[in-house]
């Protein structure tokens, strides 16, 4: 299998003192399910944010599908989806509009059939016309997953993906994610 993500000697220091990443090296293959575990403050979120272009790292290189994420930022961002740890949603927008809007942010044309299927798979179809502020924490988490999958990424980062989810829904969602063909999944979690 081909390598989809290569991290080579990546370093990130905050305020010239706190070294969040220290010469990180990692290769993840296409279709792999990878777990990134560590305690709070270990640099997991900094690494994800560096890969996704949210944080600028100090040195090293990161490539996605052999494309440098800095030189080819548009191409590499299109293939990455991220489910953040924190709930960042437009509270007064509907589930349907929020997920469709996210798809458009990645330059994808609308595809109502795909979005409908996605919302049904995540047990959100009945709530598609609800405003996000009306949803429970678990439903909001599912909306974040739908937003991350809306543009059909090839790499999906799940930062503490099951917080706010009950065990039955958690198992259903994880099972559905693992069945998506050619999707590389990187799960980030605290040590248990």
């Amino acid at each position: 299998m081909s390598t989809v993500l290569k991290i080579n000697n990546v370093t990130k220091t905050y305020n010239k003192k706190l070294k969040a990443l220290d010469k990180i090296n990692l290769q993840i293959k296409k279709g792999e399910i990878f777990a990134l575990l560590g305690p709070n403050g270990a640099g997991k979120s900094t690494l994800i944010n560096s890969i996704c272009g949210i944080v600028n790292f100090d040195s090293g290189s990161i490539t996605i599908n052999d494309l440098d994420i800095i030189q080819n930022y548009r191409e590499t961002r299109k293939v990455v989806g991220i489910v953040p740890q924190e709930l960042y949603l437009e509270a007064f927008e509907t589930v349907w509009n929020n997920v469709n809007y996210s798809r458009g942010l990645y330059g994808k044309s609308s595809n109502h059939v795909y979005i409908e299927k996605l919302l049904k798979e995540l047990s959100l179809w009945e709530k598609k016309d609800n405003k996000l502020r009306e949803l429970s924490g678990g439903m909001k988490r599912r909306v974040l997953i739908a937003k991350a999958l809306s543009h059909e990424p090839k790499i999906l980062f799940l930062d503490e993906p099951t917080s706010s989810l009950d065990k039955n829904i958690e198992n259903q969602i994880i099972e559905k994610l693992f069945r998506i063909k050619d999707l590389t999944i990187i799960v980030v979690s605290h040590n248990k």
Side-chain angles (χ1 to χ4, degrees), residues 65-171:
N65 293 329
D66 294 324
L67 297 174
D68 183 89
I69 65 161
I70 296 170
Q71 296 172 358
N72 306 100
Y73 66 92
R74 290 183 199 268
E75 292 87 355
T76 56
R77 300 303 182 279
K78 287 180 182 179
V79 297
V80 175
I82 183 168
V83 179
Q85 183 176 357
E86 302 296 324
L87 295 172
Y88 299 109
L89 297 167
E90 297 295 328
F92 295 97
E93 193 55 75
T94 65
V95 170
W96 178 260
N97 288 343
N98 212 305
V99 175
N100 277 290
Y101 178 74
S102 290
R103 182 177 174 84
L105 289 175
Y106 290 91
K108 292 275 194 159
S109 59
S110 63
N111 184 338
H112 292 171
V113 172
Y114 173 75
I115 299 300
E116 178 180 340
K117 178 182 174 209
L118 183 59
L119 293 178
K120 285 179 177 176
E121 286 178 348
L122 293 171
S123 302
L124 287 167
W125 184 246
E126 302 300 321
K127 300 290 184 181
K128 73 180 183 330
D129 296 322
N130 287 63
K131 292 189 180 355
L132 294 171
R133 65 185 176 93
E134 300 168 349
L135 303 179
S136 68
M139 286 186 188
K140 288 176 183 173
R141 174 69 52 196
R142 286 185 267 160
V143 171
L144 286 174
I145 294 169
K147 286 170 56 89
L149 292 171
S150 67
H151 65 289
E152 303 168 73
K154 297 300 178 193
I155 301 172
L156 181 65
F157 289 96
L158 301 166
D159 195 355
E160 297 294 341
T162 58
S163 61
S164 304
L165 294 178
D166 69 48
K167 209 60 170 160
N168 288 335
I169 294 294
E170 174 186 334
N171 290 337

Side-chain angles (χ1 to χ4, degrees), residues 14 20-21 36 38-52 54-55 82-86 157 159-160 188-190:
Y14 290 103
L21 304 174
L36 187 59
N40 285 337
K44 302 178 305 291
S45 293
T46 299
L47 182 60
I48 291 172
N49 290 336
S50 296
I51 295 165
C52 295
I54 299 167
V55 167
I82 183 168
V83 179
Q85 183 176 357
E86 302 296 324
F157 289 96
D159 195 355
E160 297 294 341
V188 181
S189 187
H190 297 94

